[in-house]
Amino acid sequence: NWARTKNLWLASGSLFPLSCIHTSTSLQKIGKIGKWEKKNRIVYPPQLPGEPRRPAEIYHCRREIKYSNDKMWYLAKLIKGMSIDQALAQLEFSDKKGAKVIREVLLEAQEMAVRNHNVEFKSNLHIAESQTGRGRYVKRLRCHGKGMFGMMKINRCHYFVKLVEGPPPPPEPPKTGFDQAKEYVQQLRNRTLVHTL
Amino acid sequence: MAAAMAAGLGRRAPRLCWKAAESLLRPGAALPGVVVPVRGRRKRPPVPEWARELSPEERERRLKSAAPIFPDERIERTFFLACTAEIIDPYVPPEGDARMTSLSKDGVKQQVQKLRQTAASQLALRKIKDHIPDFSTKTFPEKAQEIFIEAHNSLANFNKQKLHSLVTERCYPDMVRGNRYKTIRWRFVESLEPPRVVHVRCESIMNRGNLYGQVTVRMHSRQILAIYDRFGRLMYGGEEIPKDVLEYVVFERYLVNPYGTWRMHGKIVPDWAPPKDPIIKTVMIPGPAPDPSEQREKVK
């Protein structure tokens, strides 16, 4: 409010008879802040010089996307674990409607990371978590012929993404037969005999 | 209120209810009684004969008398101007202020520069002394330095209550912007030269007699600053690197208010000041977008 009075002073050359100014405040949008948005607010204590550098984590989400939760899940699992450039490339050439939305969300998150969260290189990010959630569904009438109708659901979903600084983690090597055999032998060795000497 | 209106009016109730509710939410935005065209299946009642020939004001008046809507009191908020918006007549520091040693002639001249040279400062000083008889240019700089140190300590600890009492409303956002999710460590090591008052100005805002006094204090000191980002990584400065800092800090006080206190109002950064240290991370500055009409070079 005091900023608004500055404009008044500059605009009006004459002096007001009263020395107080009346203004009104505008109500801010009342909405519950979700848990994912609050994750961007945690502050870690300063690191000691000997510690390894903590990688930056950026949480971003978009709520109430007009797309089905199940259909969005395929895209979310596609890009999980990729680097951000690879993910953007894959989504650019995907034919699904949700791909465009997720691409926008990733670009927004990248921009936020560089501007607000002290990330140095915008390509040095990878997607650690990528999830979808069910939004608020609405039931509507779907009219068929001959006066018949059915109830349809208008599906909406949320999309959540967590970007972490650093190269993407290497994929897990597939389990070989030798590993499985080793595990089996270890299980046999872990058995204990009870009620004995 | 909505129920009473619905009982009185009938079909017109929904529209005016909505309008009244809207005027509650956005005071001053929508005048009560203004008819807004609403789309929908419900048709508006035809204009009665007595209303067809009347002017819009007559129509409004009749509508108003038919459905008295009591506009709630305009939600106003009074506030108190406790500080000015800018530094009045900023002090222009002489070039090379702290560079010259006190052994050279120019250096001695600078050191010996007294307030008495500027007449405006003297006048302002007299006005301030009218309101505050205890004010003196000899004792004020130490108090000013204490306020400065306290303000920066409460900024480092994020003690907002104390910071508001030590720093004016104009200076507070400059100090606090961008620091919400960062950790700041600041320490005042020592003062290299005793602080001294270099500039005094006194001005009234809005009305004659609404006096605010501004005093510029020159401080040459050694400080340590380290800023860590959200993840605890060093962003700027260092914990063990003391820096020599020459600052011109402006303090302000609302003279007419008997409970006013001297608070930090702003800093004057001269043009010849040395550039600040770069931040630790690399920043990309996007260049001009490449023209598609330019021929691409062959990539081997």
Side-chain angles (χ1 to χ4, degrees):
Chain A
N1 271 340
W2 65 266
R4 252 185 257 164
T5 57
K6 187 165 90 172
N7 295 331
L8 276 172
W9 295 334
L10 295 171
S12 62
S14 61
L15 301 165
F16 281 67
L18 304 163
S19 45
C20 53
I21 306 168
H22 295 262
T23 59
S24 56
T25 52
S26 57
L27 287 172
Q28 277 159 5
K29 201 178 142 191
I30 303 162
K32 239 172 62 171
I33 300 167
K35 280 202 277 190
W36 201 260
E37 287 92 333
K38 281 192 199 160
K39 291 196 179 190
N40 265 337
R41 294 185 188 182
I42 44 170
V43 180
Y44 293 93
Q47 282 186 300
L48 305 164
E51 279 180 40
R53 196 174 156 89
R54 190 181 280 130
E57 293 175 350
I58 298 101
Y59 295 86
H60 193 42
C61 66
R62 190 180 281 203
R63 305 274 180 182
E64 307 285 331
I65 305 165
K66 179 65 197 71
Y67 199 52
S68 162
N69 197 4
D70 310 323
K71 295 176 196 169
M72 192 68 116
W73 182 86
Y74 288 106
L75 290 163
K77 288 305 154 193
L78 172 71
I79 60 173
K80 183 179 164 185
M82 287 185 182
S83 70
I84 194 160
D85 290 334
Q86 195 188 357
L88 287 167
Q90 292 289 335
L91 292 169
E92 196 179 330
F93 296 104
S94 163
D95 294 327
K96 290 179 179 272
K97 171 174 152 180
K100 200 167 159 195
V101 173
I102 296 185
R103 191 154 191 272
E104 281 168 29
V105 173
L106 284 182
L107 287 169
E108 266 176 26
Q110 199 184 41
E111 179 67 36
M112 255 168 53
V114 170
R115 211 187 308 160
N116 300 344
H117 296 103
N118 195 28
V119 162
E120 207 165 335
F121 304 110
K122 66 177 189 179
S123 303
N124 198 21
L125 293 162
H126 70 270
I127 294 161
E129 280 173 33
S130 147
Q131 287 159 15
T132 58
R134 171 187 181 278
R136 268 199 268 175
Y137 290 174
V138 173
K139 287 202 186 148
R140 288 279 180 268
L141 270 175
R142 194 183 193 282
C143 308
H144 297 279
K146 294 193 185 173
M148 307 287 264
F149 63 89
M151 294 299 283
M152 75 170 175
K153 259 191 323 181
I154 295 190
N155 295 344
R156 275 188 265 239
C157 63
H158 307 306
Y159 176 66
F160 308 97
V161 72
K162 171 177 162 183
L163 297 173
V164 173
E165 204 177 2
E172 269 182 40
K175 218 165 185 187
T176 56
F178 186 64
D179 286 327
Q180 283 178 330
K182 265 205 301 196
E183 265 191 35
Y184 176 65
V185 170
Q186 192 57 42
Q187 271 180 11
L188 292 175
R189 284 185 184 153
N190 286 346
R191 296 175 299 179
T192 48
L193 301 167
V194 288
H195 302 313
T196 52
L197 292 164
Chain B
M1 189 183 95
M5 279 175 47
L9 289 173
R11 204 183 243 177
R12 207 162 276 161
R15 312 274 185 265
L16 292 172
C17 276
W18 170 71
K19 270 276 98 177
E22 207 189 77
S23 69
L24 268 178
L25 288 173
R26 281 191 280 124
L31 290 166
V34 168
V35 175
V36 170
V38 175
R39 279 179 287 166
R41 254 183 282 159
R42 276 217 198 141
K43 293 202 179 116
R44 259 182 295 154
V47 181
E49 272 194 42
W50 55 264
R52 252 169 244 159
E53 283 129 30
L54 294 173
S55 58
E57 293 97 20
E58 262 293 322
R59 216 177 289 175
E60 253 188 55
R61 234 183 303 138
R62 296 231 184 171
L63 275 173
K64 254 196 205 170
S65 55
I69 302 158
F70 302 105
D72 286 303
E73 283 171 11
R74 250 189 279 139
I75 300 165
E76 292 172 341
R77 210 169 89 164
T78 60
F79 60 91
F80 173 62
L81 293 172
C83 72
T84 45
E86 68 218 339
I87 299 169
I88 299 160
D89 201 8
Y91 172 64
V92 179
E95 278 226 30
D97 196 359
R99 307 285 178 85
M100 314 216 192
T101 58
S102 42
L103 301 172
S104 70
K105 197 165 75 164
D106 291 324
V108 170
K109 255 203 267 177
Q110 269 184 13
Q111 291 238 332
V112 161
Q113 215 178 48
K114 283 192 180 169
L115 249 185
R116 283 172 211 282
Q117 286 176 4
T118 38
S121 289
Q122 280 299 303
L123 278 170
L125 189 62
R126 214 170 296 158
K127 266 198 216 170
I128 291 177
K129 282 199 176 157
D130 286 338
H131 291 271
I132 310 166
D134 302 338
F135 183 75
S136 142
T137 46
K138 303 216 168 52
T139 56
F140 181 69
E142 281 134 37
K143 270 196 287 178
Q145 194 159 63
E146 277 168 36
I147 296 174
F148 178 82
I149 296 172
E150 270 301 310
H152 281 73
N153 281 335
S154 50
L155 173 67
N157 301 337
F158 297 129
N159 191 352
K160 283 193 257 188
Q161 313 286 334
K162 205 161 177 199
L163 194 58
H164 269 295
S165 67
L166 292 165
V167 150
T168 60
E169 287 81 25
R170 181 251 183 203
C171 184
Y172 181 80
D174 291 338
M175 279 183 98
V176 164
R177 190 173 298 129
N179 294 343
R180 200 198 279 221
Y181 301 115
K182 297 192 174 71
T183 323
I184 299 174
R185 294 232 170 117
W186 184 85
R187 218 176 77 224
F188 187 86
V189 180
E190 57 172 356
S191 174
L192 298 167
E193 283 173 17
R196 57 168 209 269
V197 174
V198 288
H199 195 71
V200 183
R201 285 286 181 271
C202 191
E203 193 157 304
S204 33
I205 305 286
M206 302 289 294
N207 293 347
R208 205 162 154 260
N210 198 18
L211 282 175
Y212 293 85
Q214 288 183 353
V215 177
T216 311
V217 177
R218 172 194 183 276
M219 292 189 205
H220 194 36
S221 54
R222 191 166 284 157
Q223 296 165 16
I224 285 179
L225 176 66
I227 304 180
Y228 297 91
D229 68 350
R230 227 186 91 203
F231 305 100
R233 314 183 295 197
L234 189 62
M235 261 177 92
Y236 184 79
E239 291 261 6
E240 310 295 333
I241 307 168
K243 298 257 166 162
D244 297 341
V245 167
L246 172 65
E247 283 167 332
Y248 299 91
V249 189
V250 180
F251 289 85
E252 195 196 52
R253 180 170 166 167
Y254 192 12
L255 298 168
V256 181
N257 181 9
Y259 304 109
T261 47
W262 285 104
R263 296 188 294 173
M264 214 167 98
H265 192 56
K267 276 190 200 170
I268 293 175
V269 179
D271 297 326
W272 46 261
K276 290 198 243 186
D277 284 342
I279 49 173
I280 294 175
K281 80 168 188 173
T282 53
V283 175
M284 184 187 91
I285 301 168
D291 210 6
S293 61
E294 282 174 4
Q295 284 181 357
R296 278 191 215 160
E297 290 170 8
K298 270 193 191 168
V299 178
K300 283 182 190 169

